[in-house]
Amino acid sequence: MKSTKLLSYLMLCPLALSAQTHKKMNVIYIYADDMGKGMLSAYGQTQFTTPNIDGLIQQGTSFSNAYGCMLSAPSRASLLTGYHDCHTDKWKITDGAKFLFDVKDTANIAPIEMQLDESDVRLPEGDYYLPQVFQKAGYVTAQIGKLEWGFTATRRQMRDHGWDYYYGYLDHVRCHGYYPPFLFDNGAIVPIEGNTIRSGGKSMENETPQKLAERWNRQGKEVYSQDIFIDKILSFIRENKDRPFFLYHPSQLPHGPVAIPAIHPELANNPNLTTLEKEYASMVKLLDATVGAILCELERQGIAENTIVVFSSDNGHEIYYSQTGRCEKPYRDFTTGRLFDNYKDKYYSDKSGDIFNGNAGMAGMKRSNLEGGIHIPLVFYCKGVIPEGKVCTDLVSNYDFLPTMADLLNIPLSVRKDGRSFLPSLLHGKSATGERYLIFGSNEGPAIIMNNGWKLRCYLKENVWELFYLPDDPQERHDLSKEQPKRVKEMKELLMKECGGDVQNGINRYG
């Protein structure tokens, strides 16, 4: 079926796509790690370009009010379950560094997995994980890249959650090293020839001449993980071009510490950047190149017009290019010398010295319930199916993706999720009506955002609540809580209900 006919059919019957067409839409979800909107040239990055991701935005439908979570682990759990991260009974976030072994010691992994599985929190039967939704529709499912779950995942979890195939890391701490001595290949533990460093070559911050030399010392660091993942992704596409598939690529990029095999030519002679900043930006460029490689392979295999490509990020920006005299850690206001506390002294790029303005001028960073911690890029692309060059203003979250895909595939969800389908908005620009709000946890406390633009955030350290009207104040500079006590009360009651009556459930101390 040609894409023009498919689009016409979607306009008539968007909720019965898979049941009524002989060719189901493939879905590829590319999930950046710790990348704020400001790192994309489509959203204002001036030090380098991201042409492939920009192309998705220009030729697809992007969401200007999309949210993830404040940190990696809850964001992934939220995406894969369809629930917000202020619950206490939907998942368990495990510790990382459980699989930090040399290749010769990987036999120790199995008993650790048994302990993790015994204490795991699972969704009840019939309450689907994201890949199970696709399996119910007859799709083959695959995850390639960073771990799917918590800070340490197990091979049993990968099977039980619905992955037909997976390849990559299963330990969050090991993900921070880009030269892994081993990876998991569908249950098998596969050594990576030439990578001999237990940590995977993980470096440390802040920058020094010694750390610079260590990063570029290639002894024991021969194979870069993203190169492996690109090969695996393209092979999966080729091998499954004649069957419907869901491919999830949670990339490590551009999560630090910084590691890259080579500085990208576009950045090599940029006089504005230090070597470390060029290295970090090259990681973003490699992620952009990954998107380009995937798009080219879809064209080569003749399935581009039958594949929806999604690009997003797990949480807001984080800085891994800290240097004395530049953007320093711990983050401080270089105009006053004071550390940012995200309350009286909120983080802003122009005060921190971030040359990239990675959080696109918003307040706060990763781990915060301010916009810079939770506001993310989100774009869908499929020529002839997804409207071209459209910006959707609906309030959406990463936990909406599961019910949206269930809607697309005509798979009924017997258990009510926190997420809502935004398929009508995605396909036809029909904005959602009625009251809608999103819930977030953070290291600072929970927050709630209404689809009328109001946001209430808790800053538990000082036991205060701040109220912002985002359409007029996207940088969260003007607290209106004293002027709007009734609104604060109403929104706080909604938020407390979602937190099970305990504001402490909105504290995510995952790192």
Side-chain angles (χ1 to χ4, degrees):
M1 178 177 290
K2 295 187 181 296
S3 61
T4 51
K5 293 182 179 179
L6 179 58
L7 180 59
S8 300
Y9 186 86
L10 287 170
M11 296 177 68
L12 293 172
C13 189
L15 303 187
L17 176 63
S18 65
Q20 300 297 327
T21 59
H22 70 272
K23 201 167 188 181
K24 302 174 183 178
M25 300 298 298
N26 306 314
V27 178
I28 299 177
Y29 195 113
I30 304 161
Y31 209 35
D33 198 354
D34 285 8
M35 195 201 72
K37 291 180 74 170
M39 296 309 297
L40 300 174
S41 47
Y43 295 129
Q45 181 53 238
T46 60
Q47 298 300 324
F48 60 92
T49 61
T50 50
N52 295 298
I53 301 171
D54 290 0
L56 296 181
I57 294 167
Q58 293 156 5
Q59 299 171 45
T61 293
S62 59
F63 287 78
S64 60
N65 288 308
Y67 291 85
C69 296
M70 63 96 196
L71 190 68
S72 174
S75 188
R76 283 160 170 71
S78 184
L79 173 72
L80 290 158
T81 63
Y83 293 106
H84 64 67
D85 64 344
C86 291
H87 292 286
T88 60
D89 61 343
K90 302 302 182 185
W91 61 74
K92 179 180 179 179
I93 301 297
T94 53
D95 294 331
K98 294 289 189 181
F99 300 157
L100 201 58
F101 296 116
D102 293 321
V103 172
K104 62 182 176 60
D105 296 323
T106 54
N108 295 322
I109 289 175
I112 293 173
E113 287 180 305
M114 288 181 63
Q115 295 174 358
L116 293 172
D117 286 330
E118 287 173 359
S119 62
D120 191 21
V121 174
R122 302 291 181 96
L123 296 180
E125 187 71 26
D127 193 357
Y128 301 142
Y129 294 94
L130 176 61
Q132 291 177 329
V133 172
F134 283 91
Q135 284 184 331
K136 294 291 180 182
Y139 281 56
V140 60
T141 62
Q143 180 198 301
I144 298 172
K146 183 176 177 175
L147 82 165
E148 168 230 36
W149 196 252
F151 283 140
T152 302
T154 71
R155 287 171 283 185
R156 175 182 166 185
Q157 284 177 327
M158 300 299 287
R159 293 192 306 271
D160 290 353
H161 292 173
W163 299 110
D164 296 311
Y165 177 74
Y166 62 92
Y167 184 97
Y169 297 85
L170 293 185
D171 184 313
H172 182 81
V173 172
R174 290 188 63 248
C175 292
H176 299 165
Y178 281 78
Y179 299 91
F182 64 89
L183 292 169
F184 291 86
D185 187 353
N186 232 27
I189 299 174
V190 180
I192 307 301
E193 191 85 24
N195 291 351
T196 59
I197 302 173
R198 177 183 296 187
S199 70
K202 178 180 177 180
S203 61
M204 301 300 292
E205 304 172 80
N206 294 308
E207 180 73 326
T208 65
Q210 292 76 21
K211 291 170 184 173
L212 173 63
E214 177 192 340
R215 285 199 309 279
W216 288 100
N217 179 356
R218 286 290 180 264
Q219 186 173 358
K221 298 186 291 187
E222 292 189 12
V223 185
Y224 192 70
S225 56
Q226 189 67 14
D227 292 337
I228 304 173
F229 297 152
I230 291 174
D231 286 344
K232 292 290 183 182
I233 288 167
L234 300 186
S235 293
F236 178 84
I237 292 171
R238 288 191 289 268
E239 292 165 6
N240 292 278
K241 65 178 181 179
D242 296 322
R243 59 194 296 198
F245 64 79
F246 170 53
L247 171 59
Y248 173 47
H249 174 46
S251 178
Q252 297 161 275
L253 296 166
H255 195 297
V258 166
I260 194 73
I263 290 175
H264 193 278
E266 182 183 341
L267 293 151
N269 298 315
N270 186 326
N272 302 321
L273 303 179
T274 66
T275 300
L276 181 62
E277 289 164 347
K278 292 176 183 178
E279 292 174 54
Y280 177 80
S282 296
M283 295 168 74
V284 180
K285 290 288 293 184
L286 183 55
L287 178 61
D288 185 75
T290 299
V291 173
I294 289 171
L295 295 174
C296 286
E297 190 63 37
L298 294 175
E299 290 285 353
R300 277 194 293 267
Q301 300 304 323
I303 56 174
E305 295 184 1
N306 194 53
T307 303
I308 297 172
V309 177
V310 188
F311 179 85
S312 189
S313 183
D314 53 357
N315 46 251
H317 193 59
E318 173 70 301
I319 288 170
Y320 296 104
Y321 39 92
S322 52
Q323 294 177 260
T324 302
R326 304 285 283 188
C327 190
E328 299 182 5
K329 282 186 174 180
Y331 301 131
R332 66 180 67 249
D333 186 332
F334 69 80
T335 65
T336 65
R338 291 196 301 265
L339 295 177
F340 295 111
D341 66 0
N342 281 337
Y343 174 45
K344 292 182 179 178
D345 292 294
K346 290 185 174 74
Y347 175 98
Y348 293 102
S349 291
D350 59 348
K351 291 185 176 183
S352 75
D354 178 16
I355 191 170
F356 294 122
N357 186 23
N359 68 355
M362 293 178 282
M365 296 275 278
K366 174 183 174 179
R367 299 181 180 84
S368 173
N369 59 21
L370 292 166
E371 290 294 281
I374 52 180
H375 196 112
I376 58 171
L378 176 65
V379 57
F380 289 71
Y381 167 76
C382 183
K383 185 178 180 181
V385 175
I386 303 298
E388 181 176 345
K390 180 173 176 56
V391 178
C392 181
T393 60
D394 280 12
L395 184 67
V396 299
S397 170
N398 62 343
Y399 58 80
D400 291 330
F401 184 72
L402 187 156
T404 300
M405 292 298 99
D407 210 355
L408 177 75
L409 303 171
N410 199 30
I411 300 298
L413 299 177
S414 58
V415 179
R416 181 179 175 82
K417 303 281 192 178
D418 292 329
R420 295 185 185 180
S421 171
F422 53 77
L423 189 66
S425 300
L426 176 63
L427 295 180
H428 316 309
K430 295 181 179 178
S431 294
T433 57
E435 183 182 90
R436 173 81 204 276
Y437 57 83
L438 301 180
I439 301 294
F440 312 93
S442 79
N443 286 3
E444 299 160 351
I448 180 171
I449 301 177
M450 313 294 295
N451 61 349
N452 60 9
W454 289 96
K455 174 179 178 180
L456 183 71
R457 72 177 289 248
C458 179
Y459 188 78
L460 272 179
K461 186 177 180 181
E462 299 290 337
N463 196 29
V464 295
W465 297 81
E466 290 187 308
L467 180 71
F468 302 103
Y469 185 59
L470 295 177
D472 292 344
D473 184 23
Q475 292 190 314
E476 298 171 282
R477 296 184 185 272
H478 307 295
D479 176 19
L480 302 175
S481 58
K482 289 183 173 58
E483 291 91 333
Q484 299 264 356
K486 182 179 178 183
R487 191 180 300 276
V488 170
K489 181 176 183 293
E490 292 172 347
M491 292 177 67
K492 187 176 178 181
E493 287 175 353
L494 274 177
L495 180 57
M496 290 299 291
K497 181 187 73 172
E498 296 289 346
C499 289
D502 187 352
V503 69
Q504 293 292 330
N505 292 337
I507 289 282
N508 288 331
R509 297 185 181 91
Y510 299 138

